């Protein structure tokens, strides 16, 4: 897709967390694109920094809670739930106002947050209303490395099966959400091996002034910023145990996305393959849900009993009204927002 003529541009770095999105955002920032301030502070999981505006992260956390969607959500219908929130007029005004204020500081922005993929329609509309063109960089990293990295640095309560399924859902959903837009797919390994090749290609493809006019000092700064040793997790399927059908579907998803990173690889045939894989994943997930229906129902009942018990033990109207929040985290993850609302109503009758 040819580059829009607008001098204002917003580059969204998308893809699954732990796929090199922070490295890409940090590289573009170092070359001169603006990351809205303040940024999320670096920590041991990302010592070079996240490249994430704090305002963006806070907003997406709020929207995920409102929609009942997790950052790494394996449910195909999570895209619909997130989309419902994005349709809110007041929210669109709020996002547009913030984005417009950032574009007053710089004509070229880079926005990165793994949560953003759920709300790309919201951000695309905000950019259009702010007179800015949009581009998308989808970072690619083998699923086993993503899963291994998340299990090393994130909440260990999610297992390899859930993380693999969430990766498939996120990557196929992101591909569909950015299709028809100006976009590029970049392998994390290529970024670490020689960042100049994919990044300067992005500069030309997206017509990024900051990248195209980068000075020698900027280039040297990026060489210092990118550390190949950051690829600290290199697992294979021997290290990540998942059912064979899910493994095969994840491999097929990786294969088509990996091919799309090749010059001329973003083709109609690749899009059709992604559509077929997305349908296959939806059918697989529906089947898994059907098998697990009894477990989900049991978890909901246990959550209800626990909430009522704690409310009765601690007493007080306010505590009883909050009883649903006492449900253990592992159980609450299985309880949709509507079910939590019903729990609160039942608890109210029990008082």
């Amino acid at each position: 897709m040819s580059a829009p003529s607008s001098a204002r541009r917003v580059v969204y770095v998308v893809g699954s967390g732990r796929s090199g999105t922070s490295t890409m955002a940090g590289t573009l920032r170092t070359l001169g694109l603006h990351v809205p301030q303040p940024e999320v502070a670096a920590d041991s999981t990302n010592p070079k920094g996240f490249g994430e505006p704090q305002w963006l992260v806070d907003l997406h956390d709020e929207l995920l809670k409102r929609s009942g969607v997790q950052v790494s959500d394996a449910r195909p219908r999570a895209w619909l739930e997130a989309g419902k929130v994005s349709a809110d007029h007041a929210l669109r005004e709020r996002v547009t106002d913030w984005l417009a204020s950032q574009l007053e500081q710089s004509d070229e922005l880079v926005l990165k947050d793994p949560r953003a993929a759920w709300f790309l329609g919201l951000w695309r509309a905000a950019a259009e209303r702010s007179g800015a063109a949009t581009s998308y960089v989808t970072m690619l990293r083998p699923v086993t490395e993503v899963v291994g990295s998340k299990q090393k640095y994130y909440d260990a309560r999610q297992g390899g099966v859930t993380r693999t399924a969430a990766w498939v859902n996120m990557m196929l959903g992101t591909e569909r959400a950015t299709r028809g837009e100006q976009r590029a797919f970049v392998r994390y390994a290529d970024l670490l091996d020689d960042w100049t090749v994919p990044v300067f290609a992005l500069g030309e493809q997206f017509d990024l002034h900051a990248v195209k006019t980068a000075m020698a000092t900027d280039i040297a700064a990026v060489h210092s910023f990118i550390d190949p040793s950051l690829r600290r997790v290199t697992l294979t399927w021997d290290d990540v145990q998942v059912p064979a059908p899910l493994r095969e579907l994840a491999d097929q998803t990786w294969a088509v996305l990996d091919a799309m990173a090749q010059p001329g690889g973003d083709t109609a045939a690749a899009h059709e393959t992604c559509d077929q894989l997305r349908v296959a994943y939806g059918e697989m997930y529906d089947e898994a849900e059907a098998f697990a229906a009894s477990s989900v129902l049991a978890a909901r009942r246990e959550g209800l009993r626990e909430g009522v018990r704690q409310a009765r033990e601690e007493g007080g109207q306010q505590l009883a009204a909050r009883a649903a929040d006492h449900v253990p985290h592992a159980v609450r993850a299985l309880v949709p927002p509507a079910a939590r609302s019903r729990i609160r109503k039942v608890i109210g009758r029990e008082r």
Side-chain angles (χ1 to χ4, degrees):
M1 188 173 180
S2 61
S5 58
S6 173
R8 286 182 154 190
R9 179 169 303 283
V10 183
V11 178
Y12 297 98
V13 180
V14 295
S16 173
R18 310 308 298 183
S19 291
T21 53
S22 297
T23 303
M24 175 58 78
T27 296
L28 294 176
R29 174 193 57 202
T30 304
L31 291 176
L33 275 73
H34 177 61
V35 174
Q37 300 298 302
E39 294 180 42
V40 174
D43 62 21
S44 60
T45 70
N46 238 338
K48 292 283 188 173
F50 291 87
E52 297 175 1
Q54 186 66 60
W55 190 93
L56 203 67
V57 172
D58 292 343
L59 173 73
H60 291 150
D61 279 341
E62 173 192 331
L63 299 184
L64 288 172
K65 289 177 182 177
R66 284 170 57 181
S67 60
V69 174
Q70 302 175 58
V71 177
S72 297
D73 205 312
R75 299 172 301 153
R77 64 178 174 273
W79 295 100
L80 176 61
E81 298 303 325
K84 292 177 182 177
V85 172
S86 298
D88 180 76
H89 178 73
L91 173 62
R92 286 178 176 252
E93 291 286 347
R94 177 181 166 195
V95 170
T96 300
D97 289 345
W98 179 83
L99 188 62
S101 71
Q102 298 304 317
L103 286 164
E104 290 177 359
Q105 300 182 44
S106 174
D107 285 338
E108 295 183 335
L109 305 181
V110 55
L111 297 182
K112 173 261 174 178
D113 176 15
R115 305 160 185 80
W118 299 108
F119 310 104
L120 289 183
L122 172 67
W123 285 103
R124 186 179 299 117
E128 290 175 355
R129 296 173 72 175
S130 302
T134 54
S135 304
Y136 303 87
V137 184
T138 300
M139 294 303 298
L140 304 177
R141 187 181 186 185
V143 57
T144 53
E145 294 187 12
V146 172
V147 171
S149 185
K150 287 186 175 183
Q151 299 204 146
K152 179 176 181 179
Y153 295 107
Y154 293 168
D155 190 341
R157 285 176 290 186
Q158 275 197 325
V161 174
T162 301
R163 293 195 189 281
T164 300
W167 180 88
V168 172
N169 191 41
M170 171 58 69
M171 298 308 295
L172 291 176
T174 300
E175 186 282 321
R176 186 65 187 88
T178 58
R179 191 183 300 174
E181 303 296 322
Q182 187 179 62
R183 67 180 184 180
F185 295 84
V186 176
R187 303 180 189 92
Y188 183 40
D190 291 345
L191 190 66
L192 295 183
D193 288 344
D194 182 0
W195 67 269
T196 62
V197 175
V199 173
F200 284 119
L202 290 177
E204 292 296 329
Q205 181 182 350
F206 295 168
D207 193 24
L208 299 174
H209 177 77
V211 176
K212 294 167 67 174
T213 61
M215 306 295 288
T217 52
D218 301 322
I219 295 172
V222 177
H223 280 305
S224 298
F225 170 73
I226 292 184
D227 180 3
S229 69
L230 289 177
R231 192 179 181 185
R232 294 170 285 186
V233 179
T234 55
L235 302 185
T236 69
W237 285 120
D238 291 336
D239 307 296
V240 182
Q241 301 302 312
V242 302
L246 178 58
R247 171 177 172 172
E248 181 179 357
L249 198 148
D251 279 339
Q252 292 173 339
T253 300
W254 168 255
V256 66
L257 294 175
D258 183 55
M260 292 171 77
Q262 291 289 107
D266 195 355
T267 64
H271 303 166
E272 183 178 356
T273 299
C274 288
D275 288 340
Q276 292 169 351
L277 291 171
R278 203 169 59 255
V279 171
Y281 175 72
E283 293 173 348
M284 181 183 295
Y285 194 89
D286 287 346
E287 185 178 69
E289 273 195 326
F291 275 117
S294 294
S295 295
V296 172
L297 181 59
R300 289 176 179 172
R301 288 172 174 166
E302 176 59 28
L304 174 59
R305 286 195 296 269
E306 180 68 10
V308 172
R309 184 187 64 79
Q310 291 194 28
R312 283 173 170 168
E313 286 182 356
E314 298 179 24
Q317 182 174 351
Q318 183 178 6
L319 286 174
R322 295 170 51 201
D325 294 329
H326 298 163
V327 179
H329 181 81
V331 174
R332 291 186 67 213
L334 295 172
V335 182
R340 293 178 202 165
S341 177
R342 289 196 296 272
I343 289 173
R344 290 188 177 96
K345 290 179 181 178
V346 171
I347 291 170
R349 292 196 297 269
E350 290 283 348
R351 289 202 309 271

